[in-house]
Amino acid sequence: MHCESPIKRRLSRQIMVGNVPVGGDAPIAVQSMTNTDTCDVAATVAQIRRLEDAGADIVRVSVPDMDAAEAFGLIKRQVRVPLVADIHFDYTIALRVAELGVDCLRINPGNIGREDRVKAVVDAARDRGIPIRIGVNAGSLEKDLQKKYGEPTPEALVESALRHVEHLDRLNFPDFKVSVKASDVFMAVEAYRLLAKQIEQPLHLGITEAGGLRSGTVKSAVGLGMLLADGIGDTIRISLAADPVEEIKVGYDILKSLRLRSRGINFIACPSCSRQNFDVVKTMNELEGRLEDLLVPLDVAVIGCVVNGPGEAKEAHVGLTGGSPNLIYIDGKPAQKLTNDNLVDELERLIRRKAAEKAEADAALIVRG
Ligand code: SF4
């Protein structure tokens, strides 16, 4: 029941990654990257399907050599989500995956070498409508830029990115997106802010090598939060040393918290204290686990007592306020009293019922509108 995000997004030139629009007025795309051996086709397909189920809009796959390129072709045929091939230096791999149906090439034109090779890749991309992602990383800045700036800086990252952009400009190829990632939040944020003023293309946001599940989530949320709140960012990847599925979940949670995208339940829960009339933490954890499959955007409040309970519960689609007895609100109105017995089961049932009703209502709106 919360309203639209107040964030005014930077208007970028839209590109298509397969059937997923990136930039312009498209929803901010959430992506991740496989960490299986690409030559292990079965394992990679299985991981991509788990990412699809978690809501990935785009998935990137490393293609380090020609064997991996052939495996990429087999993988591509078995999944629905658009695939980006991550390629470094070897332009022949880019040409091969272009033939095999890749949806986006992540390759830095400046690293390919001879101009005729860059042109061959760009021509192949143009012929097949494949966009390119330029990906600059503070950890792999060109040697001359390291020398010029002494160390990675936001300006150095942007200068590197603009060099790659110039290659594509020279070849009159505008269908690309750019990332300027660093593991340092301030460096990444400043680099993206500088770059956003200089090009019209979509920006792929990420805090690279952010850390483990908890530390990387916090770092990514802080860094991406600053940029997204500025309206910068068209697609995001959360880099975690964790199961890639977690990257998708965290990505959505960041976008949900800024009301930039909605998917599944937006939980509002109090931290609990001795006033709680039911076990808030246990109830919350159980519900989060049980309701992961729900995709309908729904606000659910789980509040331990009447101090903040009614206020929050009334603002949610489904709200529970602790009390004697506990009280459920549906769409802001008191609907039902619940005891602590079977609280989670009953709450799950009510949330699923409301989600089904809302899905039906949303679908009817789309048909009418
Ligand atoms: S809503 Fe009630 S139970 Fe929850 S933290 Fe506040 S006072 Fe404590």
Side-chain angles (χ1 to χ4, degrees):
M1 299 217 282
H2 288 104
C3 51
E4 285 191 355
S5 177
I7 294 172
K8 195 169 175 314
R9 286 178 60 197
R10 159 186 174 263
L11 195 62
S12 58
R13 184 180 195 284
Q14 192 170 87
I15 60 169
M16 293 298 292
V17 177
N19 59 359
V20 173
V22 174
D25 59 358
I28 296 171
V30 179
Q31 53 179 297
S32 181
M33 186 168 180
T34 54
N35 61 7
T36 49
D37 174 2
T38 302
C39 289
D40 186 342
V41 173
T44 306
V45 167
Q47 190 172 62
I48 292 171
R49 291 201 177 134
R50 287 177 58 231
L51 290 166
E52 282 178 344
D53 289 347
D57 297 304
I58 298 168
V59 174
R60 180 157 50 118
V61 178
S62 267
V63 187
D65 52 35
M66 271 299 170
D67 286 345
E70 295 308 322
F72 181 89
L74 299 175
I75 294 161
K76 173 69 192 147
R77 278 190 242 148
Q78 298 177 56
V79 300
R80 293 186 311 274
V81 70
L83 297 184
V84 182
D86 192 277
I87 299 159
H88 289 273
F89 307 112
D90 187 346
Y91 83 112
T92 61
I93 298 175
L95 296 179
R96 183 65 185 135
V97 294
E99 286 170 1
L100 292 169
V102 73
D103 297 293
C104 179
L105 291 167
R106 190 264 167 141
I107 188 164
N108 289 345
N111 298 348
I112 296 176
R114 290 192 344 227
E115 196 68 22
D116 58 330
R117 294 178 174 178
V118 180
K119 185 170 180 309
V121 172
V122 170
D123 286 346
R126 198 194 325 266
D127 289 350
R128 295 179 164 86
I130 303 167
I132 289 176
R133 169 155 76 98
I134 294 170
V136 169
N137 197 307
S140 53
L141 264 185
E142 293 94 323
K143 288 212 174 61
D144 67 308
L145 289 177
Q146 285 183 32
K147 208 164 156 203
K148 176 176 172 187
Y149 289 93
E151 58 184 357
T153 65
E155 292 76 15
L157 288 170
V158 171
E159 187 169 338
S160 173
L162 291 178
R163 281 183 182 175
H164 299 299
V165 168
E166 277 163 22
H167 275 273
L168 297 182
D169 280 350
R170 269 204 301 277
L171 294 164
N172 198 20
F173 185 84
D175 295 331
F176 60 89
K177 52 184 173 153
V178 186
S179 62
V180 277
K181 297 187 184 180
S183 57
D184 178 80
V185 165
F186 289 108
M187 194 187 303
V189 167
E190 188 54 22
Y192 278 108
R193 281 179 175 156
L194 290 172
L195 188 62
K197 291 186 202 136
Q198 302 203 43
I199 61 170
E200 58 168 0
Q201 274 75 15
L203 295 179
H204 163 121
L205 301 188
I207 303 297
T208 195
E209 290 116 27
L213 183 54
R214 190 186 67 215
S215 55
T217 295
V218 171
K219 212 185 276 179
S220 299
V222 170
L224 267 52
M226 290 162 86
L227 290 164
L228 291 166
D230 277 357
I232 294 172
D234 302 285
T235 176
I236 62 171
R237 191 249 169 136
I238 312 300
S239 298
L240 299 177
D243 181 345
V245 167
E246 297 296 333
E247 299 188 348
I248 299 297
K249 290 186 196 168
V250 171
Y252 274 103
D253 281 346
I254 291 173
L255 295 180
K256 274 197 268 186
S257 65
L258 293 170
R259 291 188 235 140
L260 286 165
R261 257 187 104 167
S262 50
R263 183 180 201 272
I265 297 182
N266 172 38
F267 279 108
I268 299 110
C270 78
S272 80
C273 71
S274 68
R275 288 183 201 271
Q276 66 185 349
N277 286 87
F278 62 93
D279 189 335
V280 174
V281 173
K282 185 165 161 275
T283 306
M284 208 20 249
N285 286 337
E286 283 243 357
L287 283 177
E288 217 167 19
R290 289 190 195 190
L291 297 169
E292 269 191 349
D293 61 302
L294 284 188
L295 305 182
V296 189
L298 206 67
D299 294 327
V300 171
V302 179
I303 312 289
C305 80
V306 292
V307 172
N308 295 322
E312 290 288 0
K314 279 181 196 166
E315 290 298 312
H317 294 102
V318 179
L320 169 66
T321 296
S324 308
N326 306 310
L327 188 55
I328 289 277
Y329 292 76
I330 307 276
D331 291 331
K333 295 186 186 66
Q336 192 174 329
K337 292 173 183 164
L338 288 183
T339 64
N340 283 4
D341 305 329
N342 302 326
L343 185 63
V344 179
D345 290 344
E346 191 56 17
L347 210 45
E348 181 186 355
R349 191 183 66 76
L350 291 168
I351 293 168
R352 285 192 183 279
R353 193 175 74 188
K354 181 66 202 164
E357 283 170 17
K358 185 158 183 293
E360 215 168 288
D362 290 354
L365 263 184
I366 289 167
V367 171
R368 276 206 298 277

